Amino acid sequence: MFKILVYFIVFTHVFGVTIENYALFLFGGLIIWMVFTETTNKGLSLIGSKKYLIQNIQFNHIDLYISLTVSVFIGFLFNLFVYLLFLLCVGITLSKFVFILPVLLFNVFIICMGVSLMLSVIQIFFKDINHLWTIILLAGFWSSGIFARGEKFLEIFPPLLYMNPFVGIIMNVRAITLDGTSPNYYLMVINSLTGFIILGLGLYIFKKGSARAIELL
């Protein structure tokens, strides 16, 4: 909440942003980006932190990533509940399109899991991936439409739609909750396809490289 307050003051009083309900506008974007950041940062060190379990107990290692993502999502769902509660408190009525929200959240879930699978394996072979990932997260943070409407980013650089699925996801979450309008179904399809591609790539990299990565621990 403190972060939202700081960003709200800076962007409204320093940069002169005049978006209606801007505090809630920020809140909706930040909680989605934060769940991605937390999951992937934890995923980076997952193999190393669970080394003993992986080497001594026979189980499906994918369960570790499911457990990680679910545990982070529990905190995210609490933040989402608070966000929806604030919407109701300021007089914003949730529309019928709110039932599409789980589809968007599932999209976030598979992206988080897919990226975590990739990073955890790559990190064993390339230790410096931690620093690179910090830079990538920073770039994603400022290009996801958290502080301004995603439409502006897509107008300036249309390929961003395919490079950063969170632009479309955040736009649609705001449309459903904050604006009470239907989501952009084209964005939903593109973002969903991107999510499944990321998950598939993550599973492939994990399947091909996890055994060797565990040997190097």
Side-chain angles (χ1 to χ4, degrees):
M1 294 300 294
F2 181 72
K3 283 185 177 180
I4 296 172
L5 178 61
V6 172
Y7 290 136
F8 176 80
I9 293 173
V10 170
F11 281 90
T12 55
H13 291 77
V14 178
F15 295 105
V17 174
T18 57
I19 295 175
E20 187 178 1
N21 294 316
Y22 190 61
L24 292 172
F25 181 91
L26 283 175
F27 195 174
L30 280 171
I31 59 174
I32 294 172
W33 182 255
M34 285 166 58
V35 71
F36 175 69
T37 300
E38 184 179 353
T39 306
T40 53
N41 280 333
K42 288 183 176 180
L44 267 170
S45 58
L46 187 60
I47 291 180
S49 64
K50 302 297 181 181
K51 175 182 176 181
Y52 179 80
L53 284 175
I54 293 172
Q55 292 180 333
N56 295 281
I57 301 176
Q58 293 296 320
F59 67 99
N60 187 348
H61 297 157
I62 300 297
D63 291 343
L64 288 174
Y65 297 86
I66 296 175
S67 176
L68 167 66
T69 311
V70 168
S71 65
V72 175
F73 256 73
I74 290 174
F76 165 68
L77 291 176
F78 173 77
N79 288 332
L80 180 64
F81 173 77
V82 173
Y83 169 67
L84 296 176
L85 190 62
F86 277 141
L87 290 178
L88 295 175
C89 289
V90 299
I92 297 176
T93 304
L94 298 179
S95 71
K96 61 181 180 181
F97 299 107
V98 75
F99 294 106
I100 301 177
L101 195 56
V103 177
L104 301 175
L105 300 186
F106 179 72
N107 198 175
V108 175
F109 186 94
I110 62 175
I111 291 173
C112 290
M113 186 170 167
V115 174
S116 296
L117 284 163
M118 286 186 271
L119 290 176
S120 64
V121 174
I122 296 172
Q123 194 271 342
I124 303 298
F125 298 98
F126 305 102
K127 301 296 183 183
D128 289 339
I129 190 67
N130 300 59
H131 305 296
L132 177 60
W133 185 242
T134 300
I135 296 172
I136 292 173
L137 283 176
L138 185 61
F141 179 72
W142 291 106
S143 65
S144 294
I146 296 172
F147 303 102
R149 296 196 180 278
E151 291 87 347
K152 292 186 177 180
F153 289 89
L154 296 181
E155 287 175 6
I156 296 170
F157 188 59
L160 189 63
L161 171 62
Y162 307 98
M163 297 170 62
N164 185 352
F166 284 95
V167 177
I169 292 172
I170 291 174
M171 285 171 59
N172 276 333
V173 168
R174 284 174 176 155
I176 290 172
T177 58
L178 193 58
D179 302 330
T181 59
S182 66
N184 185 317
Y185 294 106
Y186 175 75
L187 290 180
M188 282 185 63
V189 171
I190 295 298
N191 295 153
S192 296
L193 288 174
T194 302
F196 281 111
I197 290 171
I198 290 173
L199 179 61
L201 185 59
L203 290 169
Y204 175 80
I205 290 175
F206 185 81
K207 181 179 179 181
K208 291 293 183 180
S210 60
R212 178 58 180 161
I214 293 170
E215 291 177 4
L216 294 175
L217 287 175

